[in-house]
Amino acid sequence: MAALTRLLKPSSSSSTSLLFRRSLSTTTAAVSEIQSQHHQSPNFSDPKPSRNFQWVFLGCPGVGKGTYASRLSNLLGVPHIATGDLVREELSSSGPLSRQLAEIVNQGKLVSDEIIFDLLSKRLEAGESKGESGFILDGFPRTIRQAEILDEVTEIDLVVNLKLREDVLVEKCLGRRICSQCGKGFNVASINAKAENGRPGMSMAPLLPPPHCASKLITRADDTEQVVQERLRVYNEKSQPVEDFYKNQGKLMEFDLPGGIPESWPKLLEALNLDDYEVKRSAVA
């Protein structure tokens, strides 16, 4: 915990950084009043902020937090830190926590705050030694207590809450596959959800692996229907109140995924005022 507190202690930000963060954190209906006062697009002639973005991605298991957080990480040049990945790395090790974690994960339960903070602290410490600045947290915080502790040790600029209808979430989770050789994730589910109960229809094409990974796909041990349903139940019970925590701070951006990556990615960039950012980054690449 001491390492986490030291590493996450916020540095003073320039006025440019403050305006930039306000611009990005006021693009949804939840904070529309602030948006009318501070809405601006990123200015590429501005000096580099004193620290990088510090964002959080929320959402049910399987919604796609890792996919979109990773893409934004590459676009913005900040590390993407997924607590789920940290847990899986520990599970694959021969460390003292691996057996305890395996039992928790395979039952669809939440890993304790103490374990998560320990893993996150080690990850941030390793990043600090490599000169990393800022972060996009994926899968953390999941409880009010985690959010309160994080709030005590750093300033979160923006919280993106990804939302997707539950039947599609379950189908996505059951279609997830991992290449046992390279570790990359794919999805074999071809989703065509019908419009019902006022919800629009939705189609998502599978995210298939390249030929050299196709024969090496494995299914995560916790991606069974029983465990997926339990994870969603636990999330709604324990983690959904975190949305209210950040909504009350005016930092929550709700984003309903309209479909797969081709449909959702440009709309997410637009919601974040980053659509021009991607164009300009591509132009100078």
Side-chain angles (χ1 to χ4, degrees):
M1 185 67 71
L4 180 68
T5 304
R6 185 182 72 255
L7 289 166
L8 290 182
K9 186 177 181 181
S11 60
S12 60
S13 299
S14 65
S15 58
T16 299
S17 176
L18 179 60
L19 287 172
F20 192 39
R21 296 202 312 274
R22 284 178 178 171
S23 168
L24 293 173
S25 61
T26 58
T27 53
T28 64
V31 287
S32 57
E33 273 190 10
I34 307 175
Q35 180 185 32
S36 63
Q37 300 172 20
H38 298 293
H39 180 78
Q40 298 180 32
S41 296
N43 185 342
F44 284 80
S45 64
D46 284 343
K48 187 176 181 179
S50 59
R51 70 158 168 80
N52 248 321
F53 306 92
Q54 296 188 170
W55 290 2
V56 165
F57 265 64
L58 298 180
C60 289
V63 75
K65 296 185 297 294
T67 297
Y68 295 103
S70 179
R71 283 177 165 242
L72 284 169
S73 167
N74 292 330
L75 181 65
L76 300 174
V78 295
H80 165 216
I81 302 176
T83 53
D85 289 345
L86 299 181
V87 169
R88 282 186 285 276
E89 287 171 12
E90 187 67 29
L91 279 170
S92 65
S93 73
S94 56
L97 285 178
S98 57
R99 184 175 297 181
Q100 180 184 354
L101 281 172
E103 183 177 344
I104 294 170
V105 170
N106 290 335
Q107 293 177 8
K109 297 179 180 179
L110 287 180
V111 180
S112 72
D113 293 351
E114 291 77 14
I115 293 175
I116 290 295
F117 271 111
D118 182 53
L119 296 176
L120 182 58
S121 178
K122 291 176 181 176
R123 168 61 183 84
L124 289 168
E125 192 169 59
E128 184 190 39
S129 67
K130 295 187 293 185
E132 289 182 351
S133 173
F135 50 75
I136 297 179
L137 291 181
D138 159 13
F140 183 90
R142 289 190 175 186
T143 67
I144 285 291
R145 181 57 185 148
Q146 289 178 357
E148 289 172 342
I149 294 174
L150 187 62
D151 213 37
E152 291 172 1
V153 297
T154 192
E155 179 186 0
I156 297 301
D157 305 321
L158 174 68
V159 179
V160 181
N161 184 32
L162 298 181
K163 306 184 82 173
L164 190 63
R165 44 189 285 185
E166 187 167 311
D167 56 334
V168 174
L169 274 170
V170 173
E171 198 169 347
K172 277 191 66 182
C173 286
L174 296 181
R176 291 195 296 193
R177 301 291 185 272
I178 299 173
C179 176
S180 59
Q181 183 171 331
C182 71
K184 290 184 179 179
F186 305 97
N187 202 300
V188 299
S190 182
I191 297 172
N192 287 288
K194 296 180 180 179
E196 59 182 14
N197 301 324
R199 298 179 301 185
M202 181 177 295
S203 296
M204 289 188 183
L207 181 61
L208 298 176
H212 60 273
C213 292
S215 63
K216 304 177 181 69
L217 297 186
I218 58 174
T219 302
R220 281 172 36 177
D222 57 333
D223 277 346
T224 64
E225 186 165 1
Q226 180 179 359
V227 171
V228 168
Q229 293 285 5
E230 175 64 11
R231 289 169 67 202
L232 293 175
R233 186 196 68 78
V234 171
Y235 178 85
N236 289 326
E237 178 183 315
K238 300 290 186 182
S239 299
Q240 205 161 359
V242 177
E243 297 173 16
D244 293 330
F245 179 85
Y246 287 115
K247 185 180 293 185
N248 291 336
Q249 295 182 357
K251 295 179 179 180
L252 186 73
M253 181 185 119
E254 306 270 11
F255 185 78
D256 288 290
L257 293 163
I261 296 172
E263 299 85 9
S264 300
W265 176 242
K267 291 188 178 296
L268 178 59
L269 290 179
E270 182 181 353
L272 291 167
N273 284 345
L274 288 174
D275 39 350
D276 286 343
Y277 194 120
E278 184 180 50
V279 171
K280 292 180 181 180
R281 281 287 298 269
S282 299
V284 298

